[in-house]
Amino acid sequence: MKTKGILPVGGVRHRKKWLMGAGIALVVIIIALFQPRDKPVDFSAEIKPIINKHCITCHGGVKKSGGFSLLFAEEAFAATESGNPAIVPGDAEHSEFIRRLTAEDPEERMPYNAPPLTKKEINLLTRWVKEGAKWGEHWAYSLPKTVEVPRSRLAMASLFDFWGGPSLSSDIDYFIQEKHKERGLDFSPEADRPTLLRRVSLDLTGLPPTPAQVAAFVADTRKDAYERRVDSLLASPRFGERWASWWLDIARYADTKGYEKDASRQIWAYRDWVIKAFNRDMPFQAFTIEQLAGDLLPDPSKDQLIATAFHRNTMVNDEGGTDDEEFRVAATIDRVNTTYQAWLSTTFECVQCHSHTYDPIKFEEYYQSLAFFNNTRDEDTAGDYPTLRFYSSDDSIQIERIKQWVAEYASPEAVVATDRFLYALEPKIHAHACDQLVNGALVDTKWLGIRNGGSARLPSIHLGDNDRFFINYSAGVPGGELHLHTGSINGPLLVKISLAATKGWETVAIPIPAHGGKEDIFLRFKNPALPPDQAVCLVEWMAFRKALPGKDKPDYPVMEKTFLELVNTHTPSVPILIENPEHMRRETHIFERGNWLVKGEKVEPSVPQFLNDFPKDAPRNRLGFAQWLVSEENPLTARTLVNRLWAQLFGHGIVEPLGDMGSQSDPPTHPELLDWLALQFMHEMDWSIKQLLRELVISTTYRQSSLLTDKLSAEDPGNKYYARGPRFRLSAEQIRDQALAVSGLLSTKMYGPSVMPYQPEGVWMTVYSGERWTKSEGEDQYRRGVYTFIKRTSPYPSFVSFDASSREVCLVDRIRTNTPLQALTTLNDPVYQEAAIHLARRMETAGKGNMEKAIRWGYFSVMQRQLSTEKFEILAKLFEETLAHYQEQPKEAAKLLGVSDRSAMAENLGTATYTVVANALLNLDEFLTKS
């Protein structure tokens, strides 16, 4: 009997079994559907690292054992010395490459004379060959068009994993959170407001906030209170100073020329240009183009010419006996290496002698890139030419009058040429261009010195329609003559010049007949009144130019005289880049094995094939090269900048090391985030560094507490996955600037010549020049570190202690060390001692006789947060013990303060005691650290 709606017991059991079976089947199907299948082997991520680690040293670059190379695809699949290719795509069994990995004979097995590959590595290589041995592209050498922010993926994950945590402030946080979920991590709580404001202030301006700014932020209840502070910091003039310090490491900026003599140079105008560029938020495209090729822009401004000093930061060797061409070449090579390192995170210097061992860069491509930089006017001269001259306002007015005159009587091109010569004295011919010297020499390898009756040749001079010969010379006695002959020493006389005695160096302009064409010019010097071993004069440079137009006008003599007076004016200046005119253009050749003396085939300017194509309409010069660098098709430039700014804020890059995105770098921890930021930077932010930094610092990722828990210490000790806020030591400049700021000593004066704050006697051991470190007066000794004079062979000592660069070469990432020298510096360096004394006096004033109040005020001024009871007790004990010591040894107190007035001894005891406490505050780990 059946009852409606009621199943028999057996039916219920049967249904349960059926449902259970169906459920199991469903689970099996789901598992089968989502079971990971073997993906095709990824050449870049899986194969290339094995090749680089085990194979490339014998089979790539210079060495190609057995005629087999794994550096480039065409080489890997080409026939070897055996006549057959070692890799047969799709056929691992007949690929000698695979057979050799498992050969039993040690003379056959690869890698030769080294441990065998692991079974996993061999299996990967075998699968790769079976799948067709596809030669993939390294991840860094292509850039996706779009990257999706992983909101939807996280939303799907949240159906199975309900988590709390802070709200996300930026799209950046979705990428970080997705990686958190993979590793069982989550965001830390937001840092407290005083800590957060200090962190972002140090990051954006290099200076801590004032106590008043902290108090105002803590009391601000508006939802966008933090964003308002960020915007204010980005608008501060201090922003440019902080970020210039970072860029000047990359630009290898210094106030001296380097090498043995390491003489001073005037190049601080470039440092000021960088500060202003950051403060104006110059788009990184323009920032790049103006530094690499500002002189090649249409009608370049003086600021755009100053920008080109980026590549005049190269060292100059004006030691006697050196070869100017050797060191011009060295400077050009440095420019190539620096450019690829600064903008592309590429170790391009590896290709100077042979094809890159690890990355797809061919030997000849190095010299094709060098050809872009090989045509500038600088030639390793003692005068650091070409330089942009800074005239007084009165002289500038005279220059404008001359330019107006030229504009009235000649072409616009003549106006440009006149402006260029007055401001840069270019183009000119340096004395070292002379050859076939008779009875003379290049004095100290710099200046032409020919004795009576001697001669020298200027080869292949383009005379054209030039009718003025300019010569810059120095003569101690009158009566000298210079005869210019064309073609040979006995050829037709071009002009005869009287060489009067001079006071120092003087430039004269001599009329010559327009000759046309290109000729060898022979210079014969005469002065029979001189002894046989004395030069008639010293010549620094010469130039062939057109005279000013309007010769038939009444005011012409005045204009010509004014022009020459301006040429002879001694002005402040800055080294700049200027391109050779076409008739002075250099050819570029490959250097066999990197030896500049052994030239191979001629090459033309071009870019490496592994990167984006050269822009179709761009000129084949430095300007076109700069445009290529910042093309939106370039996969590396935006990635490089994003990665380095990220490292400045978080302590390490998404890719490490910062100087290499090639196949030897670590893979990015967050590849999608890196690409998304690069695309945002180029497209949405229009290359704005301020907008990029704003996006980074408003993120939840940045705003986290840096507290290290046991779990984070175990799961992510290096904070690679950003489950806590950044915490690392400040830079050398920031440590000093912060000490001056909290003590009230810091000067806000901007720009101008570099300054010399206190440094110990005897640090400088300058040869030849007699230059000395002369301590700056007044507020200049308290200016920010970015303005400190940098001598390459003897950098500022306290900066060196904290890992600052000597600026001899491009440096993209300072190491952070922890040595006793650092503590000795901040405890004993007079700069920090003076800061402590000044802070102590402010503490005394604020305390009004109350020790606890004074110490708490001092700590708040230094750390911008309240002092805990535990720390106060330690500092109070230090105060009491120090006071007792100075009461027994009052002379020690006077010595600390540098005073000798016994009548004020009681007052000195208190100040000296507070100075010791203040010094302790300035040496707290939390003070020297951004956390």
Side-chain angles (χ1 to χ4, degrees):
M1 174 180 173
K2 295 182 180 179
T3 305
K4 188 178 180 180
I6 300 176
L7 287 171
V9 174
V12 173
R13 289 176 181 169
H14 179 75
R15 185 179 183 188
K16 284 183 177 179
K17 287 182 179 179
W18 183 87
L19 289 172
M20 184 179 296
I24 292 171
L26 181 61
V27 170
V28 170
I29 291 170
I30 291 173
I31 291 173
L33 288 173
F34 289 94
Q35 183 72 19
R37 300 177 180 177
D38 286 342
K39 295 180 180 178
V41 177
D42 186 322
F43 175 83
S44 176
E46 297 177 287
I47 301 303
K48 185 66 172 171
I50 298 174
I51 291 174
N52 285 355
K53 182 179 179 180
H54 298 289
C55 312
I56 206 75
T57 53
C58 294
H59 299 285
V62 173
K63 194 173 181 182
K64 300 178 182 179
S65 296
F68 177 50
S69 170
L70 284 160
L71 186 56
F72 302 102
E74 61 269 24
E75 294 178 342
F77 303 126
T80 65
E81 288 179 0
S82 69
N84 299 312
I87 298 174
V88 182
D91 189 353
E93 292 183 7
H94 294 91
S95 292
E96 187 72 3
F97 172 60
I98 299 299
R99 188 189 73 80
R100 291 292 193 97
L101 298 178
T102 56
E104 294 183 2
D105 185 345
E107 291 298 317
E108 282 198 313
R109 183 186 54 77
M110 295 295 161
Y112 180 71
N113 201 22
L117 270 61
T118 66
K119 187 175 181 180
K120 180 181 178 181
E121 290 171 329
I122 293 172
N123 288 340
L124 269 174
L125 292 171
T126 303
R127 279 182 55 205
W128 173 64
V129 174
K130 285 181 177 179
E131 291 172 3
K134 294 180 180 178
W135 201 269
E137 189 173 39
H138 181 56
W139 65 264
Y141 301 149
S142 62
L143 189 66
K145 297 296 182 183
T146 60
V147 176
E148 180 187 357
V149 178
R151 296 188 191 88
S152 58
R153 296 200 294 268
L154 287 169
M156 180 65 70
S158 67
L159 294 175
F160 304 98
D161 181 16
F162 296 96
W163 63 78
S167 60
L168 305 187
S169 307
S170 163
D171 284 343
I172 291 170
D173 302 318
Y174 290 98
F175 294 97
I176 300 298
Q177 190 177 59
E178 185 175 42
K179 192 68 70 172
H180 282 174
K181 297 310 130 189
E182 293 176 9
R183 308 189 71 84
L185 299 171
D186 208 343
F187 289 109
S188 294
E190 185 168 298
D192 61 79
R193 283 202 163 192
T195 298
L196 185 57
L197 185 61
R198 179 175 183 266
R199 178 190 298 170
V200 74
S201 295
L202 287 167
D203 274 337
L204 295 184
T205 69
L207 296 173
T210 65
Q213 289 169 335
V214 173
F217 181 47
V218 170
D220 194 339
T221 58
R222 291 173 293 186
K223 289 184 178 181
D224 62 345
Y226 176 70
E227 286 78 1
R228 287 172 180 264
R229 266 63 184 186
V230 169
D231 291 338
S232 176
L233 292 168
L234 291 170
S236 167
R238 310 280 83 82
F239 173 86
E241 293 173 326
R242 181 266 187 263
W243 288 95
S245 286
W246 164 71
W247 183 257
L248 294 178
D249 269 1
I250 296 172
R252 69 274 195 242
Y253 166 86
D255 296 285
T256 59
K257 298 179 183 180
Y259 294 115
E260 182 190 18
K261 291 183 73 171
D262 202 21
S264 297
R265 72 181 351 162
Q266 287 184 342
I267 200 166
W268 52 264
Y270 168 74
R271 177 247 292 145
D272 290 353
W273 179 89
V274 174
I275 294 171
K276 293 171 184 176
F278 276 115
N279 278 335
R280 293 201 310 268
D281 196 22
M282 177 183 285
F284 193 68
Q285 279 181 314
F287 186 74
T288 297
I289 290 170
E290 292 192 12
Q291 289 183 91
L292 295 182
D295 59 307
L296 297 176
L297 292 168
D299 192 21
S301 67
K302 298 302 180 283
D303 271 353
Q304 288 169 332
L305 292 175
I306 292 170
T308 67
F310 173 86
H311 269 325
R312 293 304 311 280
N313 282 312
T314 47
M315 297 193 292
V316 175
N317 193 352
D318 50 20
E319 162 64 17
T322 59
D323 187 315
D324 288 335
E325 177 62 10
E326 176 184 0
F327 287 96
R328 185 198 71 80
V329 169
T332 305
I333 288 172
D334 175 77
R335 287 166 190 164
V336 176
N337 299 343
T338 295
T339 301
Y340 275 86
Q341 179 62 255
W343 275 272
L344 299 176
S345 294
T346 298
T347 54
F348 207 60
E349 63 272 20
C350 298
V351 197
Q352 184 181 335
C353 301
H354 52 76
S355 293
H356 202 291
T357 306
Y358 301 106
D359 298 320
I361 313 172
K362 297 179 180 178
F363 171 56
E364 58 271 18
E365 290 177 330
Y366 185 91
Y367 294 93
Q368 290 169 349
S369 289
L370 187 140
F372 287 110
F373 297 91
N374 195 34
N375 202 34
T376 57
R377 288 294 308 124
D378 58 293
E379 299 178 15
D380 198 71
T381 60
D384 241 1
Y385 302 118
T387 59
L388 179 65
R389 290 143 54 94
F390 300 119
Y391 287 97
S392 67
S393 56
D394 289 343
D395 286 341
S396 297
I397 292 171
Q398 295 300 322
I399 290 176
E400 291 306 312
R401 285 183 58 210
I402 289 174
K403 288 167 64 178
Q404 290 171 9
W405 175 277
V406 175
E408 185 174 354
Y409 299 112
S411 66
E413 291 76 17
V415 178
V416 172
T418 300
D419 180 270
R420 181 63 52 91
F421 195 75
L422 287 174
Y423 277 103
L425 301 179
E426 291 293 346
K428 57 178 173 285
I429 304 164
H430 295 288
H432 63 215
C434 293
D435 61 9
Q436 297 185 15
L437 274 59
V438 176
N439 195 21
L442 281 177
V443 179
D444 202 30
T445 65
K446 299 177 181 64
W447 306 292
L448 183 66
I450 305 295
R451 305 178 189 94
N452 178 45
S455 63
R457 182 186 74 149
L458 281 174
S460 300
I461 298 301
H462 177 80
L463 292 172
D465 55 357
N466 293 315
D467 57 2
R468 285 292 184 276
F469 174 67
F470 287 75
I471 181 169
N472 179 254
Y473 77 101
S474 173
V477 295
E481 285 187 355
L482 170 60
H483 297 189
L484 267 60
H485 297 266
T486 58
S488 71
I489 191 62
N490 297 312
L493 180 67
L494 186 66
V495 69
K496 182 170 71 173
I497 304 166
S498 296
L499 299 173
T502 64
K503 296 180 179 179
W505 294 97
E506 183 178 338
T507 302
V508 296
I510 308 300
I512 60 174
H515 190 277
K518 183 179 287 188
E519 288 275 9
D520 288 348
I521 303 296
F522 286 80
L523 296 79
R524 175 173 284 169
F525 294 82
K526 295 183 178 181
N527 192 339
L530 290 175
D533 60 346
Q534 184 173 337
V536 174
C537 66
L538 295 181
V539 179
E540 185 179 25
W541 57 265
M542 294 155 278
F544 292 88
R545 291 184 46 79
K546 290 181 183 178
L548 290 177
K551 293 180 182 179
D552 56 340
K553 305 301 177 184
D555 290 339
Y556 181 81
V558 175
M559 286 295 169
E560 192 173 40
K561 179 174 179 291
T562 303
F563 183 90
L564 194 58
E565 287 174 348
L566 290 167
V567 169
N568 278 291
T569 300
H570 295 287
T571 70
S573 61
V574 62
I576 59 172
L577 289 180
I578 290 179
E579 196 80 344
N580 274 324
E582 190 59 35
H583 68 271
M584 300 176 80
R585 185 175 184 82
R586 298 186 185 95
E587 289 186 349
T588 301
H589 293 260
I590 287 172
F591 298 159
E592 298 293 349
R593 293 193 175 273
N595 185 347
W596 73 282
L597 291 172
V598 184
K599 295 181 179 178
E601 65 181 63
K602 179 182 173 182
V603 295
E604 296 297 330
S606 190
V607 295
Q609 292 180 5
F610 76 100
L611 289 173
N612 53 302
D613 293 335
F614 197 80
K616 291 182 180 179
D617 300 328
R620 288 276 171 172
N621 57 19
R622 278 182 290 113
L623 179 58
F625 182 83
Q627 292 168 348
W628 170 77
L629 276 180
V630 290
S631 163
E632 292 182 352
E633 302 303 315
N634 195 315
L636 283 177
T637 300
R639 271 197 186 115
T640 291
L641 185 75
V642 163
N643 194 49
R644 290 181 185 166
L645 295 189
W646 182 278
Q648 284 289 305
L649 300 184
F650 291 97
H652 52 79
I654 298 172
V655 180
E656 288 284 337
L658 298 185
D660 186 7
M661 283 193 183
S663 60
Q664 287 295 88
S665 71
D666 292 337
T669 56
H670 300 74
E672 288 184 316
L673 172 59
L674 180 65
D675 288 348
W676 181 82
L677 283 170
L679 292 170
Q680 288 288 113
F681 179 59
M682 288 190 292
H683 302 307
E684 303 302 322
M685 299 176 185
D686 292 327
W687 299 84
S688 165
I689 289 177
K690 284 190 176 182
Q691 285 190 50
L692 176 58
L693 286 171
R694 187 182 193 278
E695 186 71 25
L696 297 181
V697 300
I698 66 169
S699 68
T700 297
T701 305
Y702 176 84
R703 290 152 74 163
Q704 297 174 93
S705 166
S706 60
L707 182 65
L708 181 62
T709 64
D710 290 341
K711 179 182 179 181
L712 292 176
S713 179
E715 297 290 332
D716 188 16
N719 201 24
K720 288 174 62 177
Y721 300 101
Y722 312 104
R724 64 183 187 274
R727 185 182 188 276
F728 52 90
R729 200 202 66 214
L730 299 174
S731 71
E733 294 88 346
Q734 288 175 326
I735 289 171
R736 180 178 178 275
D737 291 350
Q738 184 181 218
L740 293 175
V742 300
S743 67
L745 285 172
L746 185 67
S747 166
T748 58
K749 181 179 177 182
M750 297 181 71
Y751 311 129
S754 296
V755 297
M756 295 182 176
Y758 173 85
Q759 79 171 14
E761 287 292 329
V763 172
W764 267 29
M765 299 295 288
T766 304
V767 293
Y768 309 119
S769 66
E771 293 179 343
R772 297 180 60 83
W773 183 276
T774 304
K775 183 180 174 183
S776 297
E777 298 297 326
E779 69 173 315
D780 279 351
Q781 63 183 297
Y782 307 116
R783 295 183 67 186
R784 293 194 67 173
V786 70
Y787 299 109
T788 298
F789 190 98
I790 299 296
K791 184 178 180 69
R792 282 176 158 133
T793 56
S794 182
Y796 190 56
S798 71
F799 286 179
V800 174
S801 295
F802 284 97
D803 311 313
S805 167
S806 64
R807 304 274 176 80
E808 291 171 295
V809 294
C810 169
L811 181 71
V812 300
D813 188 17
R814 293 186 188 180
I815 59 172
R816 279 190 291 271
T817 63
N818 185 5
T819 72
L821 285 176
Q822 295 166 0
L824 290 171
T825 296
T826 51
L827 283 167
N828 300 296
D829 188 299
V831 172
Y832 294 93
Q833 287 284 345
E834 187 173 4
I837 292 170
H838 205 266
L839 176 61
R841 288 174 175 150
R842 297 178 70 199
M843 290 168 64
E844 278 189 295
T845 301
K848 298 179 181 178
N850 185 314
M851 180 264 287
E852 180 174 354
K853 185 177 180 181
I855 291 177
R856 289 189 178 279
W857 183 93
Y859 181 86
F860 188 79
S861 296
V862 168
M863 290 307 307
Q864 297 86 44
R865 60 173 177 265
Q866 298 298 332
L867 178 65
S868 68
T869 301
E870 181 183 6
K871 291 179 180 178
F872 167 72
E873 290 173 353
I874 296 171
L875 291 170
K877 183 180 180 182
L878 174 64
F879 178 89
E880 291 163 356
E881 291 177 350
T882 303
L883 181 60
H885 170 74
Y886 283 148
Q887 287 172 339
E888 294 179 3
Q889 302 287 337
K891 290 183 179 179
E892 292 295 317
K895 182 179 178 182
L896 176 67
L897 300 178
V899 298
S900 57
D901 186 1
R902 296 296 183 86
S903 63
M905 188 59 70
E907 180 183 342
N908 290 340
L909 292 181
T911 303
T913 302
Y914 278 116
T915 297
V916 172
V917 176
N919 188 267
L921 293 175
L922 298 181
N923 277 274
L924 291 173
D925 183 62
E926 58 189 298
F927 180 71
L928 304 176
T929 301
K930 184 191 77 171
S931 61

